Amino acid sequence: MSRLDIFINRMTAQRDLLNLLRDQNLLPDGPIMEVGLGNGRTYSHLIETFPDRRFIVFDRHVAAHKTSIPPEEDLVIGEIRETARAYIGSEAALVHADIGTGYPEKDAIVMSWLPELAAGMLRSGGYAVSGLALDHPQLEMLPIPDHLEPGRYYLYRKI
Ligand code: SAM
């Protein structure tokens, strides 16, 4: 499979899992944490999909399209491993994390700290949607729809 196909499958899975949470009205109350602003495409989708939510958006720098830059008070700039600690206990409804690199050795390091932070920011009954697996005892992995390629994106619910 080409990298283009992999990218398209990953983005399709990301969008469809976020839409599934909306369509089935699954999110409890609470803010949405966008972990990795990047170009802001997912942030753009999130604010359109969940217009009544507060967003807290993490990245080490702002490099988003100018139409998708969060308000300053919603932006947390710095290394997520450090900055997200202050948001443990936020009772978030959703943590979306798109910070995989495609390099297994680098992603393995992220996967050693991201699950604890994601679980810590979520409220019980909240959801995590992530491009990297989040192996944590409080995060129950949920099945994804059949049309999505397994292993491209993951859906969890905090116990
Ligand atoms: N979903 C985004 C979009 O729609 O444009 C793309 C996110 S991009 C793949 C990942 C982003 O996460 C990059 O902007 C990168 O700077 C940020 N990032 C990755 N790891 C990070 C870390 N450990 N700390 C802070 N930012 C990080």
Side-chain angles (χ1 to χ4, degrees), residues 18-38:
L18 295 172
N19 289 354
L20 177 149
L21 295 175
R22 174 199 60 198
D23 295 344
Q24 299 187 13
N25 201 19
L26 292 174
L27 290 192
D29 290 341
I32 292 177
M33 317 307 246
E34 168 63 330
V35 178
L37 172 65

Side-chain angles (χ1 to χ4, degrees), residues 106-138:
K106 289 184 182 172
D107 290 344
I109 295 171
V110 176
M111 285 157 71
S112 73
W113 53 262
L114 182 60
E116 187 70 30
L117 287 173
M121 290 193 284
L122 282 172
R123 68 180 302 158
S124 175
Y127 288 82
V129 174
S130 174
L132 295 176
L134 301 176
D135 186 13
H136 190 279
Q138 287 184 294

Side-chain angles (χ1 to χ4, degrees), residues 10 14 34-43 58-61 78-81 96 98-100 110 113:
R10 197 166 68 78
Q14 179 194 111
E34 168 63 330
V35 178
L37 172 65
N39 181 278
R41 292 187 181 98
T42 315
Y43 174 68
F58 300 85
D59 209 304
R60 55 171 65 99
H61 50 225
E79 287 301 308
I80 292 161
R81 187 178 187 171
H96 169 251
D98 180 13
I99 59 171
V110 176
W113 53 262

Side-chain angles (χ1 to χ4, degrees), residues 21-107:
L21 295 175
R22 174 199 60 198
D23 295 344
Q24 299 187 13
N25 201 19
L26 292 174
L27 290 192
D29 290 341
I32 292 177
M33 317 307 246
E34 168 63 330
V35 178
L37 172 65
N39 181 278
R41 292 187 181 98
T42 315
Y43 174 68
S44 158
H45 191 72
L46 283 168
I47 58 177
E48 204 176 281
T49 306
F50 302 105
D52 300 327
R53 298 287 174 153
R54 164 99 201 271
F55 290 88
I56 301 172
V57 182
F58 300 85
D59 209 304
R60 55 171 65 99
H61 50 225
V62 178
H65 188 275
K66 68 177 182 183
T67 59
S68 300
I69 297 177
E72 206 174 323
E73 63 271 19
D74 296 343
L75 260 176
V76 183
I77 301 298
E79 287 301 308
I80 292 161
R81 187 178 187 171
E82 307 302 328
T83 58
R85 284 188 195 154
Y87 293 84
I88 287 176
S90 292
E91 299 281 292
L94 169 64
V95 170
H96 169 251
D98 180 13
I99 59 171
T101 64
Y103 293 96
E105 63 284 5
K106 289 184 182 172
D107 290 344

